[in-house]
Amino acid sequence: MRTRKLAGNYVLIQSAAAFYQEAWQVSFADIAPRFVRHSRYPGYQGLVKLDEKSHMVGLVYGYTSRPGQYYHDLLRPALQENGKSDWLDDCFELVELVVAPSVRGSGIGTALLNQLLTAAPNKTAVLTTRENNIRAIQFYERNGWELLKDSFYPNEKAYRIYGKKLI
């Protein structure tokens, strides 16, 4: 298996968006434009893992969280409630981590996550995951993420906010 960087590779970013749609069985028309838009954000880092046949089996990306960005502006008031808004002061926002269902549990997600976060120059990282996504919650906690807030509602579904100190 090999890892490729997404930054600056429009074709690979488009392929990553298609991989995301297939892995999650979603057909949102805005996925590819969102992936491309995010790739232009400051501090953007993105990686994909390809198998021996060059099929994508893993994807991870994020960027520096800044005021004015949609999710940053949702997270700040939620974290202020817990006195933890300082987590966003110099923060890498982990946006997506997806591993193909056929290879989950093989270490691909951990390897991609560690490689991505090692390259992030920020002091902290944050992410959100659905409150009922037990596998993801266990994965992040096993990888050293701490719960910053539960029962976060950016829409009608409950999420958890996790953070990790990088420096």
Side-chain angles (χ1 to χ4, degrees):
M1 289 204 198
R2 63 190 169 107
T3 304
R4 292 196 52 201
K5 292 183 178 183
L6 288 172
N9 189 330
Y10 179 79
V11 172
L12 195 55
I13 290 169
Q14 292 285 332
S15 295
F19 169 75
Y20 174 92
Q21 289 177 290
E22 184 178 323
W24 291 116
Q25 298 294 300
V26 295
S27 60
F28 304 126
D30 65 337
I31 296 294
R34 180 170 52 102
F35 273 47
V36 171
R37 184 178 68 250
H38 288 171
S39 74
R40 297 183 182 126
Y41 282 13
Y44 175 83
Q45 304 275 339
L47 302 167
V48 292
K49 184 71 82 173
L50 305 174
D51 68 11
E52 298 77 22
K53 295 180 181 179
S54 293
H55 295 123
M56 203 171 291
V57 295
L59 154 72
V60 66
Y61 83 82
Y63 45 76
T64 298
S65 187
R66 299 250 170 100
Q69 294 170 343
Y70 174 77
Y71 229 63
H72 176 96
D73 292 347
L74 283 175
L75 293 174
R76 184 159 297 276
L79 291 174
Q80 280 175 336
E81 292 172 12
N82 293 1
K84 296 186 179 189
S85 62
D86 60 329
W87 277 82
L88 296 175
D89 292 345
D90 183 11
C91 180
F92 184 81
E93 187 176 311
L94 180 65
V95 179
E96 298 295 350
L97 173 60
V98 183
V99 176
S102 62
V103 294
R104 287 184 186 151
S106 66
I108 290 171
T110 298
L112 283 171
L113 183 61
N114 288 341
Q115 187 175 348
L116 185 79
L117 294 179
T118 298
N122 310 86
K123 292 181 182 176
T124 61
V126 297
L127 64 84
T128 60
T129 191
R130 291 279 304 276
E131 209 165 64
N132 64 356
N133 191 343
I134 302 305
R135 285 189 67 166
I137 289 167
Q138 291 171 341
F139 171 82
Y140 291 121
E141 289 178 353
R142 198 171 48 248
N143 280 281
W145 292 77
E146 66 179 90
L147 180 64
L148 301 178
K149 179 168 179 48
D150 60 0
S151 300
F152 165 62
Y153 287 87
N155 51 43
E156 68 281 351
K157 298 172 184 164
Y159 285 76
R160 288 180 171 200
I161 303 171
Y162 279 90
K164 185 170 185 168
K165 294 189 179 185
L166 302 179
I167 300 175

